[in-house]
């Protein structure tokens, strides 16, 4: 597999292993080590975390695994994120999160992640979500402190819009090397909000979470719209010679002009391998548009003149 260069000191695998549901995989540290070694044999070296995944438990378990075999750290790339706050102690009836992008919070969140993971630095640290109260100068100070202290080697963002990226860049010379956003045939906002064009202008790869729609297209009781989408996906699966619809979903993202690094969200090895297998397929322009036409939301149609 060809690796993806994000910066002068960081290249990653073309598929990142998402660790959001690690605690649901049913693996202890030794079993996780075996799984990681299997992935390494396939060239899957990049692991994506956030401090809120499993309330820190996902980072903790991975850290336990790394302590079993410390040299493994130098063979992998670790991505983690911070900035989302779950504050249910103050008002227990709140079910959604808030954000804290203050300098103090981001620095401490990153440091806590490093402790849980048992590592000295993160290869890539992402600001997890934009915040209406974001002071870009404070965020820049946090980034500069973490970089100067050697705790983070590269920075990226997650769920940021182009104007939000530009606002932050006005306060720092530290490069933003990626933006991780939700991208799939069921979430095409990136086609309408300028995300893809902004990434192309910056020559910046995008990371895609929920690239296979979070398994939504495998549910038993699909809507009429989803059934029509699955029918087209099945037809294109046969045309490509693919084995599963998942592979078609990944191939659709790989066909984009921007470089896309999917972040898998499954603990099933065979499903992770579908993202790798899809790298081999060459989806035609016509096939890509067939999927767009059947699955696109209205706001995407409006931007592209109801294609």
């Amino acid at each position: 597999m060809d690796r993806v260069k994000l910066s002068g000191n960081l290249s990653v695998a073309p598929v990142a292993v998402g660790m959001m549901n690690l605690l649901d995989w049913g693996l202890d540290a030794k079993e996780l080590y075996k799984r990681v070694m299997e992935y390494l044999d396939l060239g899957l070296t990049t692991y994506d975390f956030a401090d809120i995944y499993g309330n820190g438990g996902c980072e903790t378990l991975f850290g336990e695994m790394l302590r079993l075999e410390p040299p493994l750290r130098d063979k992998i790339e670790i991505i983690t994120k911070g900035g989302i706050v779950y504050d249910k102690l103050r008002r227990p009836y709140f079910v959604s999160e808030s954000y804290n992008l203050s300098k103090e919070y981001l620095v401490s969140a990153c440091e806590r992640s490093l402790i849980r993971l048992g590592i000295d630095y993160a290869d890539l640290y992402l600001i997890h979500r934009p915040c209406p109260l974001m002071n870009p100068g404070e965020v820049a100070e946090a980034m500069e402190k973490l970089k100067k202290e050697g705790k983070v080697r590269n920075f990226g963002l997650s769920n940021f819009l182009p104007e939000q990226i530009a606002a932050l860049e006005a306060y720092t010379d530290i490069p933003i090397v990626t933006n991780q956003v939700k991208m799939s045939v069921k979430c095409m906002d990136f086609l309408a909000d300028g995300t893809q064009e902004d990434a192309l202008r910056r020559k910046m790869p995008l990371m895609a979470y929920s690239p296979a729609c979070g398994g939504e297209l495998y549910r038993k009781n699909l809507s009429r719209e989803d059934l029509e989408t699955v029918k087209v996906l099945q037809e294109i699966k046969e045309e490509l010679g693919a084995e599963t619809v998942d592979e078609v979903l990944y191939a659709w993202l790989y066909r984009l002009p921007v470089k896309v690094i999917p972040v898998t969200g499954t603990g099933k090895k065979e499903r992770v391998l579908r993202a790798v297998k899809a790298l081999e397929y060459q989806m035609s322009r016509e096939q890509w548009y067939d999927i767009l036409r059947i699955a696109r939301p209205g706001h995407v149609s409006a931007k592209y003149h109801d294609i």
Side-chain angles (χ1 to χ4, degrees):
M1 295 184 290
D2 293 334
R3 295 180 64 78
V4 182
K5 186 174 182 179
L6 294 183
S7 73
N9 65 6
L10 179 61
S11 66
V12 297
V15 175
V17 182
M19 310 301 281
M20 182 175 70
N21 300 312
L22 175 58
L23 299 184
D24 298 328
W25 294 7
L27 304 177
D28 61 21
K30 290 183 178 179
E31 292 166 332
L32 178 58
Y33 173 74
K34 181 180 178 181
R35 175 70 61 84
V36 170
M37 293 306 295
E38 291 172 347
Y39 284 157
L40 284 179
D41 288 340
L42 298 167
L44 298 174
T45 61
T46 307
Y47 296 84
D48 179 81
F49 295 88
D51 58 355
I52 64 168
Y53 294 170
N55 195 28
C58 297
E59 291 177 329
T60 299
L61 176 55
F62 202 83
E64 293 174 3
M65 184 272 296
L66 284 177
R67 282 189 284 274
L68 296 176
E69 191 67 31
L72 178 60
R73 172 65 184 101
D74 295 331
K75 300 177 182 179
I76 61 175
E77 303 84 46
I78 293 180
I79 303 168
T80 193
K81 316 177 193 71
I84 295 180
V85 180
Y86 287 114
D87 186 6
K88 295 184 179 180
L89 294 177
R90 187 170 52 83
R91 301 191 193 279
Y93 47 83
F94 283 162
V95 296
S96 61
E97 68 274 2
S98 63
Y99 313 115
N100 189 339
L101 302 190
S102 67
K103 175 183 177 180
E104 179 182 5
Y105 184 83
L106 286 176
V107 170
S108 64
C110 180
E111 291 174 342
R112 291 193 298 269
S113 286
L114 297 182
I115 291 171
R116 286 190 292 266
L117 287 161
I119 59 178
D120 297 325
Y121 67 91
D123 296 281
L124 176 59
Y125 193 72
L126 307 182
I127 310 301
H128 206 158
R129 289 185 187 273
C131 170
L133 298 179
M134 180 181 77
N135 179 332
E138 268 200 76
V139 177
E141 289 177 6
M143 293 166 59
E144 289 159 4
K145 177 177 173 61
L146 290 167
K147 189 173 182 64
K148 182 179 180 180
E149 294 177 354
K151 295 173 181 176
V152 175
R153 294 193 172 176
N154 296 272
F155 287 91
L157 304 169
S158 182
N159 302 290
F160 273 60
L161 293 171
E163 58 268 27
Q164 294 164 333
I165 300 175
L168 178 55
E169 285 184 325
Y171 288 81
T172 182
D173 294 327
I174 295 177
I176 302 300
V177 302
T178 190
N179 188 18
Q180 186 176 129
V181 297
K182 193 172 185 179
M183 300 174 68
S184 73
V185 302
K186 284 185 66 65
C187 186
M188 298 186 185
D189 290 358
F190 69 94
L191 290 176
D193 61 17
T195 292
Q196 176 172 241
E197 292 83 355
D198 183 67
L200 287 168
R201 180 178 64 81
R202 300 172 186 276
K203 300 180 181 179
M204 178 182 74
L206 293 174
M207 299 185 73
Y209 69 87
S210 294
C213 310
E216 289 184 34
L217 296 179
Y218 285 99
R219 293 176 180 172
K220 292 182 179 180
N221 299 314
L222 294 176
S223 65
R224 185 180 67 180
E225 292 79 9
D226 282 349
L227 284 170
E228 292 174 351
T229 298
V230 170
K231 180 181 177 182
V232 172
L233 292 171
Q234 291 282 5
E235 291 173 356
I236 294 176
K237 182 193 76 170
E238 297 300 322
E239 294 169 4
L240 291 175
E243 296 180 3
T244 68
V245 165
D246 272 7
E247 293 173 18
V248 180
L249 296 174
Y250 285 112
W252 189 81
L253 291 175
Y254 293 148
R255 183 62 177 81
L256 292 164
V258 68
K259 181 64 179 178
V260 176
I261 305 164
V263 180
T264 62
T266 177
K268 296 180 179 179
K269 180 180 174 181
E270 62 273 18
R271 292 200 67 188
V272 173
L273 294 183
R274 292 172 191 172
V276 177
K277 180 67 175 177
L279 290 164
E280 302 175 7
Y281 302 128
Q282 297 295 321
M283 180 173 286
S284 70
R285 184 181 300 270
E286 291 77 16
Q287 290 167 331
W288 191 89
Y289 270 107
D290 287 344
I291 294 171
L292 178 72
R293 288 189 182 98
I294 197 67
R296 71 187 186 277
H299 62 283
V300 173
S301 295
K303 180 173 181 179
Y304 291 98
H305 308 292
D306 199 25
I307 51 176

